[in-house]
């Protein structure tokens, strides 16, 4: 059994059409620890020791957030700056996160074709998540291709939200049960729409 930690960040969960429902899904999965960072730290007064202990006691760390200015909402940056300390997460004696897995579960306003070489951003979504990937690398963590809901503003009208929530549920349950092919998912561009390719049917890993 893998211990999965979901760190959720949304500054206005009351207005969230996509991420808040997805967080509700995460909370319902047995074996997942689901944390709402803005709710826990309304004054950004992050408990560094508590967060580090929580990281140590989990195998898979998920950042779940809307894609904001090609990054994450502010509390996630604050969390990284304070929690991923030298001597804990990196540096000569900082090995606490070695061998763990990192995943971004995100939603974007822009549609999938905006995140391509010929599209508006001239780049795919995984490349734009480079600061997260490089941070994971530095901390000795395996970075997985992101699980993305593109075009989030129309997800409800297009009836895509329930499908995506079910896929997130499948993803989390497979991870908890050690039935998610982490090696393969680390090589992919994106996990969305191809999730079944990564879920192991036979023996758990
Ligand atoms: C401050 C802010 C910055 C945003 N930056 C981006 C962005 O860089 N790229 C993008 O595709 N969408 C961007 N969006 C759109 C959000 O990603 C989109 O509204 C969100 O994923 C919807 O999720 P929610 O319903 O949970 O709020 C931004 C939205 C806001 C409010």
């Amino acid at each position: 059994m893998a211990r999965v930690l979901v760190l959720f960040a949304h500054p206005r969960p009351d207005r969230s059409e996509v991420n808040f429902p997805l967080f509700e899904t995460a909370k319902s999965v047995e074996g997942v620890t689901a944390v709402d960072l803005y709710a826990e730290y309304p004054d950004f007064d992050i408990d560094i020791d508590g967060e580090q202990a929580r990281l140590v006691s989990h195998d898979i760390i998920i950042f779940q957030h809307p894609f904001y200015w090609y990054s994450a909402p502010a509390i996630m940056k604050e969390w990284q700056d304070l929690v991923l300390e030298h001597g804990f997460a990196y540096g000569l004696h900082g090995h606490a996160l070695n061998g763990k897995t990192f995943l971004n579960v995100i939603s974007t306003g822009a549609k999938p074709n905006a995140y391509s070489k010929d599209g508006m951003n001239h780049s795919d979504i995984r490349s734009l998540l480079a600061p997260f990937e490089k941070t994971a690398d530095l901390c000795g963590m395996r970075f997985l291709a992101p699980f993305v809901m593109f075009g989030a503003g129309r997800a409800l009208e297009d009836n895509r939200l329930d499908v995506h929530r079910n896929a997130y549920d499948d993803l989390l349950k497979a991870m908890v049960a050690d039935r998610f092919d982490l090696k393969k998912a680390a090589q992919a561009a994106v996990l969305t729409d191809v999730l079944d390719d990564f879920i192991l049917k036979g023996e758990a890993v």
Side-chain angles (χ1 to χ4, degrees), residues 119-131:
M120 188 183 88
N121 294 305
H122 302 293
S123 191
D124 63 275
I125 190 73
R126 178 167 178 159
S127 303
L128 289 167
L129 291 166

Side-chain angles (χ1 to χ4, degrees), residues 10 15-20 66-70 107-110 115 152:
H10 198 299
R15 291 191 184 177
S16 165
E17 288 184 358
V18 171
N19 286 277
F20 189 72
F67 202 40
Y68 274 6
W69 297 118
Y70 301 95
S107 63
T108 72
Y115 290 96

Side-chain angles (χ1 to χ4, degrees), residues 7-10 19 62-68 70-73 76 102-108 129 132:
L7 297 174
F8 165 66
H10 198 299
N19 286 277
I62 296 178
F63 276 15
Q64 199 221 297
H65 58 94
F67 202 40
Y68 274 6
Y70 301 95
S71 187
M76 227 145 218
F102 179 86
L103 170 69
N104 291 98
V105 170
I106 61 173
S107 63
T108 72
L129 291 166
F132 295 97

Side-chain angles (χ1 to χ4, degrees), residues 49-199:
D49 290 345
E51 291 299 323
Q52 289 181 348
R54 196 145 58 184
L55 284 178
V56 168
S57 65
H58 290 82
D59 307 301
I60 299 177
I61 316 301
I62 296 178
F63 276 15
Q64 199 221 297
H65 58 94
F67 202 40
Y68 274 6
W69 297 118
Y70 301 95
S71 187
I75 202 165
M76 227 145 218
K77 183 64 164 61
E78 183 78 350
W79 184 98
Q80 291 173 76
D81 294 351
L82 294 175
V83 177
L84 302 180
E85 281 181 320
H86 181 265
F88 169 76
Y90 71 101
L92 195 57
H93 303 291
H95 302 299
L97 305 179
N98 281 190
K100 296 185 188 291
T101 296
F102 179 86
L103 170 69
N104 291 98
V105 170
I106 61 173
S107 63
T108 72
K111 292 181 182 154
N113 57 5
Y115 290 96
S116 65
K117 267 228 151 15
D118 301 327
M120 188 183 88
N121 294 305
H122 302 293
S123 191
D124 63 275
I125 190 73
R126 178 167 178 159
S127 303
L128 289 167
L129 291 166
F132 295 97
E133 179 157 5
K134 299 323 293 175
T135 300
D137 283 353
L138 190 71
C139 297
M141 301 175 81
R142 176 187 274 146
F143 180 86
L144 304 189
F147 181 66
V148 189
M149 161 67 91
F150 292 105
R154 288 192 53 91
L156 271 179
E157 293 109 286
D158 296 348
N159 293 317
R160 285 183 286 124
L161 186 57
D162 284 345
V163 175
H164 196 72
R165 282 186 77 168
N166 286 337
Y168 191 32
D169 189 65
D170 290 346
L171 165 74
L172 291 171
K173 284 179 177 160
M175 282 180 156
V176 169
D178 288 325
R179 289 182 178 280
F180 199 75
D181 193 335
L182 300 174
K183 275 190 197 141
K184 197 171 170 185
Q187 305 302 324
V190 72
L191 300 184
T192 321
D193 298 333
V194 285
L195 199 63
D196 281 349
D197 292 354
F198 304 98
I199 295 178

